[in-house]
Amino acid sequence: MKFVLSEEQRMFAGTLRRLLAEAGTAKTVRAWASGDHAPGRAVWAALAEAGLFAVAVPEEHGGAGLLPVELVAAMEEVGRAAAPGPYVETLAAAELLPRTGGGALLEGIAEGAAMVTLGVPHALDADAADAVLGTDGKPRTASGGPLASLDPARRLFRVDGSPGGRPDFGVLMCAAQQIGLGRALLDVTVEYAKTRRQFGRPIGEYQAVKHHLAGAMVELEFARPLLYGAALAHGTPEFGRDAAAAKVAASDACYGAAKAALQVHGAIGYTDEYDPSLWIRKARALHSAWGTPAEHRARVAASL
């Protein structure tokens, strides 16, 4: 069976990509890392107006009904832009809340008015969120200041009394974000390899560089079917296993793209002033967010 996105799904993702490109998210990421949420909230509102959060909320609460494939396509674009904010957590909450109550909060999510974070085990961006929930959907309290993070735009806080566990829908959304992030790193690195010259030739002409980039592309392309397969499995007994498999593949592919980007760019790749460094740092942080590859491999193995 050949699986491709419909024209409407591609248009939806394309609209979000244009909005994020126009926003210039690198400066938004830096502002968010410093504690200035205004630019990030403006991006959030623009994506909400385009329907990002509505497709995560049931119709009876003001949404368009939960559409996992559309959300995976959308989160690829959010990852591609490295947009800051608790997107994964808010979408995971939107999928969780119909089973635990919280209709008023769902309406706020659909409109883009409610930014929600979950304690899994730490809460992301609790200083910006309008609500902090445990993974049981119940309100929690974040304490203390932000913890150290590999990605300064992922502002982590301790959560009091939060139960354990990671909602599988959040695992899937994180994996989608990683695929978009990895693709962005690959694209910018390919362009750099075309223009950076060494010994009188573009470095992209050297076989070793080609192999690094080709390997990263293959990993990303092989991970995407697992991602969309898991989206289609939502609501079935296999969903948790398939989301775990997608997270393993996405984590490995995104991390591989970040390694290739750093190797090809050299020292400039990790300087704070160079925009791709923001993507590289996020790739490392997301590698273990919502469960490490080892944890999810164990989940897949246990289900067999």
Side-chain angles (χ1 to χ4, degrees), residues 39-118:
R41 279 192 171 272
V43 173
W44 185 282
L47 297 183
E49 188 173 353
L52 170 58
F53 302 105
V55 296
V57 174
E59 293 182 20
E60 60 267 29
H61 296 293
L66 181 62
L67 302 174
V69 172
E70 280 77 0
L71 286 169
V72 163
M75 285 305 294
E76 279 198 70
E77 300 306 328
V78 170
R80 184 188 294 270
Y87 287 91
V88 169
E89 290 72 16
T90 298
L91 295 175
E95 193 263 354
L96 174 70
L97 283 170
R99 302 192 297 275
T100 62
L105 186 54
L106 281 167
E107 291 174 8
I109 291 173
E111 297 169 357
M115 187 179 283
V116 181
T117 193
L118 296 175

Side-chain angles (χ1 to χ4, degrees), residues 49 129 157 180 186 198 218 229:
E49 188 173 353
F157 292 78
L186 178 61
Q198 203 168 56
V218 168

Side-chain angles (χ1 to χ4, degrees), residues 15 27-28 47 69 87 124 138 221 226 301:
T15 297
K27 65 178 184 294
T28 305
L47 297 183
V69 172
Y87 287 91
L124 173 65
K138 304 301 181 183
E221 289 304 308
L226 291 175

Side-chain angles (χ1 to χ4, degrees), residues 29 33 82 148-156 278 281-283 285-286:
V29 170
S149 173
L150 292 167
D151 173 12
R154 297 184 78 251
R155 297 168 63 81
L156 303 174
L278 303 173
R281 296 175 76 172
K282 183 174 287 292
L286 292 183

Side-chain angles (χ1 to χ4, degrees), residues 122-145:
H122 298 118
L124 173 65
D125 298 316
D127 55 338
D130 303 298
V132 179
L133 305 178
T135 53
D136 58 357
K138 304 301 181 183
R140 292 291 185 271
T141 301
S143 60

Side-chain angles (χ1 to χ4, degrees), residues 3-304:
F3 176 79
V4 295
L5 295 177
S6 69
E7 182 64 26
E8 291 79 9
Q9 289 166 337
R10 289 196 298 271
M11 287 179 62
F12 179 52
T15 297
L16 299 184
R17 185 182 297 191
R18 287 192 295 274
L19 287 171
L20 288 161
E22 291 168 2
T25 50
K27 65 178 184 294
T28 305
V29 170
R30 289 189 171 93
W32 195 275
S34 71
D36 178 7
H37 302 128
R41 279 192 171 272
V43 173
W44 185 282
L47 297 183
E49 188 173 353
L52 170 58
F53 302 105
V55 296
V57 174
E59 293 182 20
E60 60 267 29
H61 296 293
L66 181 62
L67 302 174
V69 172
E70 280 77 0
L71 286 169
V72 163
M75 285 305 294
E76 279 198 70
E77 300 306 328
V78 170
R80 184 188 294 270
Y87 287 91
V88 169
E89 290 72 16
T90 298
L91 295 175
E95 193 263 354
L96 174 70
L97 283 170
R99 302 192 297 275
T100 62
L105 186 54
L106 281 167
E107 291 174 8
I109 291 173
E111 297 169 357
M115 187 179 283
V116 181
T117 193
L118 296 175
V120 284
H122 298 118
L124 173 65
D125 298 316
D127 55 338
D130 303 298
V132 179
L133 305 178
T135 53
D136 58 357
K138 304 301 181 183
R140 292 291 185 271
T141 301
S143 60
L147 305 171
S149 173
L150 292 167
D151 173 12
R154 297 184 78 251
R155 297 168 63 81
L156 303 174
F157 292 78
R158 289 187 175 87
V159 179
D160 298 332
S162 178
R166 304 180 184 93
D168 289 326
F169 200 73
V171 172
L172 179 63
M173 293 296 102
C174 184
Q177 189 180 30
Q178 287 176 292
I179 293 297
L181 179 63
R183 187 69 214 199
L185 281 167
L186 178 61
D187 289 347
V188 74
T189 306
V190 167
E191 289 305 311
Y192 180 80
K194 290 178 181 178
T195 57
R196 176 74 168 90
R197 300 181 70 85
Q198 203 168 56
F199 306 114
R201 299 168 59 188
I203 62 173
E205 292 185 7
Y206 294 104
Q207 190 176 50
V209 174
K210 290 179 181 179
H211 284 180
H212 278 309
L213 298 179
M217 184 187 72
V218 168
E219 280 195 296
L220 289 165
E221 289 304 308
F222 272 76
R224 288 187 86 239
L226 291 175
L227 185 67
Y228 283 94
L232 289 171
H234 182 262
T236 72
E238 293 77 27
F239 176 61
R241 177 202 66 193
D242 290 356
K247 182 62 168 68
V248 170
S251 290
D252 288 348
C254 183
Y255 191 61
K259 285 173 62 179
L262 191 55
Q263 287 175 315
V264 173
H265 279 91
I268 193 176
Y270 54 78
T271 57
D272 287 340
E273 297 79 11
Y274 190 53
D275 288 351
S277 69
L278 303 173
W279 276 247
I280 291 171
R281 296 175 76 172
K282 183 174 287 292
R284 180 60 188 88
L286 292 183
H287 188 253
S288 56
W290 289 83
T292 65
E295 290 173 317
H296 286 300
R297 282 192 177 91
R299 288 187 65 194
V300 174
S303 73
L304 299 177

